Amino acid sequence: MTTTAAVEATGLVKEFGRFRAVDGIDLEVRQGEVFGVLGPNGAGKTTALRMLATLLPIDAGRARVFGVDVAREAHRVRQLIGITGQFASVDEDLTATENLWMFGRLQGLRSGDARASARRLLEQFGLEEAADRPISQFSGGMRRRLDLAASLITRPPLIFLDEPTTGLDPRTRGQMWDTIRGLVAEGCTVLLTTQYLDEADQLADRIAVIDRGRKVAEGTPEELKASVGDSTLQLRLAPGADVEVARQVVRRVAGTEPVLTPESGRMNVPLETADRAADVLIAFRQAGVSIISVSVAQPTLDEVFLAITGHGAESEHEATDDNAATTKTKLDTTTKTKLEV
Amino acid sequence: MSTLTADVTPAPNFALRPVDPAAAVAATRAHISVGETLSQTLIMAWRALKKMRRNLEQFMDVTVQPLLFTAMFAYLFGGAVSGDVHSYLPLLIPGIVAQTVLTTCMATGVQLREDMEKGVFDRFKALPMARIAPLAGPMIADLVRYVIAAGLTFVTGLIIGYRPGGGVFGVLGAVLLAVLTGWSLAWIFTWVGTIAKSAKSVQGMSMLILFPLTFLSNAFVPVSTLPGWLAAFVKVNPVSHLVSATRDLANQGVVSAEAGWTLLACLGVILVFAPLSVRSYRKQL
Ligand SMILES: Nc1ncnc2c1ncn2[C@@H]1O[C@H](COP(=O)(O)OP(=O)(O)OP(=O)(O)O)[C@@H](O)[C@H]1O
Ligand SMILES: [Mg+2]
């Protein structure tokens, strides 16, 4: 028996003026999976998600949620989804309990049931102690959790999460991951966006990589990482070291193209296996290229991007320095395993 | 280190029945019922009332304005218009009632716009709820503000010597009419709230609507003192009808034809602006 896809989108387009934020994206999310949409700032992740969640009109293409047309039967689609946006969408002037009670009531729960479900969710998300505090006193992480709780009141079968862990500390992030896994165990389907390959890797069954409004790759995390090698050697060349020589050494020894990151002297080398790092380092010494620091890490989104698109992950539109800097820090936080020599 | 673990959040436990997508799809309904619309509107009204209680400074306009304007206008224009303050009051008080209630409407639009810019509206939009509820809910809560505005004006009037000939029932009727009219006209400002780009521009646009409506009426001066062309406008201005109807109620205790015209105008405004507001709110998705 074939089941309908949780999300089936073909040729999605969204234009803001003459700018195409989403430029013909196809997505198929199967029931019961976690599907990750990965992309840098401005790639069009939020825009695509908002179209699927009936929050933005679809300019071209079509989308269905469990077989229900998003454009034509928005009201029915809204009964099947929960959405937690990139920015918290709870009422700042109400307390946590009041928020959950209100959203429950708005979705047809009786007052008593709404109160019970609010209590259950607050407990589930570790917010009981803050239950009667106004949201304006919540920390960012608490807000995020409450926001997610508010999306789960009617236990919708499909949940959209827009960058659910951006801005969370590592522990809260881990909790969020557990929560998402719990949702899937319950039978929910999750469509999430993220800027971290690491997160997509941890959570997603399948990933679509989006860049400048287009889907540039799709596959399991393993498939994506395999396209850039298993690990990355991150080097910092000494001032004055010859970048061109270094590049040639890498080509010869590792057989791959090094990625020069924007900071001067930094070079990332995709490796098939982490063992090859030593070969590259020895060849560097022989060629007289001196190095300040070395680490071996999992491939970052940067490398996946470079491998797939031929350019770095920094967005070009809205490429203010500020934005590029944030992207960079975020990408750098992917789990690093320091090479122990 | 042990303090670190003290506030660790318990792992979520999902011990409920599993989610069944097929059943969920089968349970979806294509349309929203009238009952649901009503109950959602009331919940949105509840939300607006909660917010009011937590932001009491929002009541500044409906408390200060009636006090200030009533006293100010009475002593400023009383002598000039009616010879003395006391005989000006029966003319003035109903005028101020109309004016404060209209100003209060304006705040409805501004607050809606401010509210709509908040993140929580994203959730309202993503929920399967009636599109009119987020608009009509706050308006119902605003009835409180209209009652305060109209009531306080009468009270201020009484304090400075106004003795309404219509008695208690006349005054209550006048308050009721003013509140109803305010609520109806608020739809215009709600619509402005849904089309404007920012709360500031709502304010600006509303002023443009409000000033001619309140000042080019019989609210503060008898029509007989006006030049012909202005008198013509003043006579068709719905605010004039409201003011006249309020005067008849408060001063004579009679429900005049003016009340009928006022209610008719209100109905017209609702029929035009409620659908317009919902349409433009829908479009904002
Ligand atoms: N309402 C809008 N009007 C005009 N342009 C918009 C609008 N919303 C988004 N854009 C543009 O569309 C592009 C995609 O934006 P979107 O928010 O979907 O990116 P994103 O992938 O979610 O990025 P981020 O990781 O920063 O959240 C951006 O260039 C953005 O400037
Ligand atoms: Mg986004």
Side-chain angles (χ1 to χ4, degrees):
Chain A
M1 202 182 81
T2 55
T3 50
T4 44
V7 177
E8 189 192 346
T10 44
L12 279 191
V13 171
K14 182 76 218 172
E15 282 175 338
F16 294 114
R18 284 182 50 233
F19 171 65
R20 285 200 158 199
V22 173
D23 190 6
I25 288 182
D26 299 341
L27 286 179
E28 196 195 323
V29 181
R30 297 169 199 149
Q31 287 194 16
E33 74 176 347
V34 177
F35 190 92
V37 173
L38 187 66
N41 286 140
K45 303 182 296 291
T46 300
T47 308
L49 209 72
R50 289 176 66 86
M51 278 196 280
L52 294 175
T54 77
L55 287 171
L56 271 180
I58 298 172
D59 287 349
R62 64 179 301 175
R64 283 193 239 186
V65 166
F66 295 109
V68 183
D69 192 282
V70 173
R72 263 182 279 149
E73 297 194 274
H75 183 65
R76 286 180 67 202
V77 169
R78 291 187 188 117
Q79 295 163 59
L80 298 169
I81 60 170
I83 176 164
T84 299
Q86 190 167 358
F87 307 102
S89 47
V90 283
D91 199 321
E92 295 281 324
D93 292 323
L94 301 183
T95 68
T97 308
E98 285 166 351
N99 262 288
L100 295 180
W101 180 83
M102 174 177 70
F103 292 127
R105 290 283 288 133
L106 286 174
Q107 292 176 87
L109 294 189
R110 287 205 202 100
S111 186
D113 294 344
R115 209 168 298 124
S117 106
R119 207 175 304 120
R120 173 177 62 82
L121 284 163
L122 288 173
E123 189 189 306
Q124 187 175 313
F125 285 86
L127 291 168
E128 310 110 301
E129 274 162 40
D132 296 318
R133 269 199 269 153
I135 310 305
S136 44
Q137 298 172 13
F138 272 35
S139 74
M142 289 162 79
R143 232 172 266 230
R144 282 247 120 160
R145 277 182 278 158
L146 182 69
D147 207 14
L148 179 54
S151 316
L152 303 179
I153 294 168
T154 53
R155 306 181 74 233
L158 174 63
I159 294 155
F160 294 106
L161 301 173
D162 197 2
E163 303 197 14
T165 65
T166 300
L168 298 188
D169 66 32
R171 195 194 64 190
T172 325
R173 196 168 188 220
Q175 284 167 2
M176 187 61 91
W177 288 355
D178 288 342
T179 307
I180 295 170
R181 291 192 189 103
L183 289 173
V184 176
E186 257 191 297
C188 293
T189 307
V190 175
L191 174 57
L192 59 84
T193 71
T194 179
Q195 300 184 26
Y196 313 105
L197 180 62
D198 174 34
E199 177 162 287
D201 191 9
Q202 289 277 336
L203 285 175
D205 299 301
R206 286 186 312 130
I207 297 172
V209 182
I210 306 243
D211 182 38
R212 297 178 194 173
R214 289 173 177 277
K215 185 168 78 177
V216 290
E218 185 173 333
T220 63
E222 288 67 36
E223 285 163 357
L224 279 183
K225 280 188 293 177
S227 69
V228 287
D230 258 358
S231 56
T232 302
L233 173 64
Q234 300 180 333
L235 297 167
R236 198 180 183 108
L237 303 182
D242 191 333
V243 177
E244 205 36 53
V245 172
R247 195 199 288 268
Q248 277 160 19
V249 169
V250 169
R251 282 200 198 118
R252 180 163 47 82
V253 180
T256 53
E257 187 63 28
V259 181
L260 292 171
T261 59
E263 298 109 281
S264 61
R266 285 199 52 173
M267 179 181 268
N268 290 351
V269 180
L271 297 172
E272 262 161 48
T273 61
D275 313 344
R276 304 296 306 267
D279 301 341
V280 176
L281 294 177
I282 292 166
F284 268 7
R285 166 135 23 106
Q286 283 164 351
V289 178
S290 48
I291 297 161
I292 298 175
S293 72
V294 174
S295 64
V296 174
Q298 287 180 359
T300 63
L301 180 56
D302 247 335
E303 277 121 336
V304 173
F305 260 84
L306 190 91
I308 295 166
T309 64
H311 68 83
E314 277 82 22
S315 53
E316 282 185 3
H317 25 263
E318 65 159 23
T320 58
D321 286 351
D322 210 27
N323 257 326
T326 354
T327 317
K328 193 59 218 146
T329 15
K330 278 176 184 166
L331 296 179
D332 272 354
T333 53
T334 43
T335 44
K336 275 185 188 163
T337 39
K338 280 265 183 314
L339 181 69
E340 285 164 342
V341 191
Chain B
M1 282 318 278
S2 59
T3 49
L4 261 183
T5 49
D7 62 338
V8 165
T9 321
N13 98 76
F14 295 90
L16 294 155
R17 70 200 185 292
V19 171
D20 179 358
V25 173
T28 58
R29 274 163 305 154
H31 297 288
I32 205 147
S33 73
V34 177
E36 284 170 321
T37 306
L38 221 62
S39 107
Q40 288 162 357
T41 304
L42 289 178
I43 295 157
M44 294 305 280
W46 168 86
R47 166 178 180 267
L49 284 173
K50 278 269 172 206
K51 288 170 99 80
M52 276 185 196
R53 266 184 42 200
R54 286 178 192 158
N55 300 293
L56 285 178
E57 75 279 0
Q58 279 181 8
F59 284 101
M60 279 288 279
D61 59 340
V62 292
T63 48
V64 174
Q65 193 179 317
L67 298 176
L68 206 69
F69 276 33
T70 312
M72 201 172 71
F73 275 74
Y75 293 109
L76 208 60
F77 298 140
V81 178
S82 306
D84 66 87
V85 173
H86 193 77
S87 42
Y88 182 44
L89 288 176
L91 184 77
L92 174 71
I93 301 297
I96 301 264
V97 168
Q99 196 211 14
T100 45
V101 161
L102 272 162
T103 321
T104 311
C105 294
M106 182 172 91
T108 303
V110 175
Q111 277 169 17
L112 178 72
R113 178 76 257 168
E114 274 172 3
D115 212 17
M116 277 168 62
E117 274 153 28
K118 292 185 186 140
V120 68
F121 258 75
D122 253 9
R123 193 170 287 286
F124 293 143
K125 285 175 183 165
L127 287 181
M129 64 187 276
R131 301 287 128 173
I132 199 170
L135 307 179
M139 291 183 58
I140 291 183
D142 272 345
L143 287 175
V144 174
R145 293 157 49 82
Y146 301 135
V147 171
I148 294 177
L152 260 186
T153 307
F154 275 109
V155 170
T156 315
L158 289 174
I159 291 170
I160 58 177
Y162 174 45
R163 294 294 170 261
V168 177
F169 287 106
V171 170
L172 286 183
V175 170
L176 185 70
L177 184 71
V179 168
L180 273 178
T181 311
W183 190 81
S184 315
L185 295 185
W187 280 105
I188 302 177
F189 300 95
T190 293
W191 175 69
V192 172
T194 59
I195 57 163
K197 290 230 156 55
S198 69
K200 262 225 152 54
S201 61
V202 177
Q203 183 108 27
M205 288 163 78
S206 304
M207 287 284 197
L208 276 181
I209 302 174
L210 201 64
F211 270 117
L213 275 182
T214 47
F215 284 100
L216 303 186
S217 74
N218 61 354
F220 305 112
V221 291
V223 185
S224 53
T225 62
L226 303 175
W229 58 273
L230 191 55
F233 175 81
V234 166
K235 274 182 193 147
V236 296
N237 184 350
V239 175
S240 298
H241 292 296
L242 169 64
V243 173
S244 304
T246 315
R247 277 180 192 145
D248 295 342
L249 273 163
N251 297 333
Q252 277 120 52
V254 297
V255 183
S256 59
E258 294 291 345
W261 287 117
T262 309
L263 291 175
L264 206 65
C266 290
L267 194 68
V269 166
I270 297 177
L271 286 180
V272 172
F273 286 95
L276 275 181
S277 307
V278 173
R279 208 183 65 167
S280 101
Y281 173 64
R282 233 183 243 282
K283 264 211 216 140
Q284 283 212 348
L285 282 185

